[in-house]
């Protein structure tokens, strides 16, 4: 799915995940992004540099702390994040359609449980 998402948007799977995270959470610092993505801050910086060159993100000094830089999506970046999310959903739907009905129901129930657990863990 990551390769499909990357092909759909001319970004790497990690950059696609970064765009979706910023779309979901709003402006974030590089260090917070790195932590949420589970990557080294220098790796996050390199990914963000590519996204910035592509015009998908902008970096601005935080209003409350001039030492911190917040990363935001540009309008083009917001559109890319939506495209990546839509393409991922289509891929998942196509995969689910290949399952027999009974298995599809079990997978759906398992995904709902995982989504609830993730929501509880992040709260």
């Amino acid at each position: 799915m990551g390769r499909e998402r990357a092909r759909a948007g001319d970004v790497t799977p990690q950059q696609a995940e970064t765009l979706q995270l910023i779309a979901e959470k709003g402006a974030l610092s590089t260090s917070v992004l790195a932590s949420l993505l589970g990557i080294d801050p220098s790796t996050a910086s390199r990914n963000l540099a590519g996204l910035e060159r592509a015009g998908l993100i902008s970096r601005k000094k935080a209003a409350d702390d001039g030492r911190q830089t917040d990363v935001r999506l540009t309008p083009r970046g917001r559109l890319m994040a939506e495209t990546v999310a839509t393409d991922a959903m289509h891929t998942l739907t196509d995969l689910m359609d290949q399952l027999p009905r009974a298995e599809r129901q079990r997978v759906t129930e398992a995904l709902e449980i995982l989504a609830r657990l993730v929501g509880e863990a992040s709260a």
Side-chain angles (χ1 to χ4, degrees):
M1 280 176 49
R3 285 188 188 99
E4 285 297 318
R5 288 166 43 187
R7 274 195 292 263
D10 295 326
V11 293
T12 67
Q14 196 168 64
Q15 288 173 328
E17 186 177 4
T18 300
L19 290 172
Q20 288 184 297
L21 189 58
I22 298 168
E24 177 187 325
K25 304 273 187 192
L28 298 167
S29 70
T30 302
S31 60
V32 168
L33 267 171
S35 176
L36 291 171
L37 292 167
I39 60 175
D40 186 79
S42 63
T43 302
S45 288
R46 282 192 301 278
N47 286 335
L48 292 171
L51 292 170
E52 190 171 33
R53 280 191 303 275
L56 301 173
I57 63 152
S58 64
R59 297 191 235 196
K60 297 189 185 207
K61 294 286 183 196
D64 57 342
D65 184 351
R67 296 168 295 167
Q68 179 179 316
T69 302
D70 287 337
V71 179
R72 294 171 164 68
L73 294 179
T74 63
R76 185 172 174 214
R78 197 171 334 284
L79 180 61
M80 179 68 71
E82 291 170 8
T83 299
V84 166
T86 299
D87 290 345
M89 185 57 69
H90 287 299
T91 300
L92 183 57
T93 300
D94 291 345
L95 289 171
M96 292 292 282
D97 287 345
Q98 295 175 32
L99 292 173
R101 184 176 295 281
E103 287 184 33
R104 191 178 320 154
Q105 181 62 36
R106 288 199 318 259
V107 170
T108 300
E109 289 169 1
L111 289 172
E112 288 171 354
I113 291 168
L114 283 172
R116 188 184 77 240
L117 291 172
V118 167
E120 290 172 3
S122 65

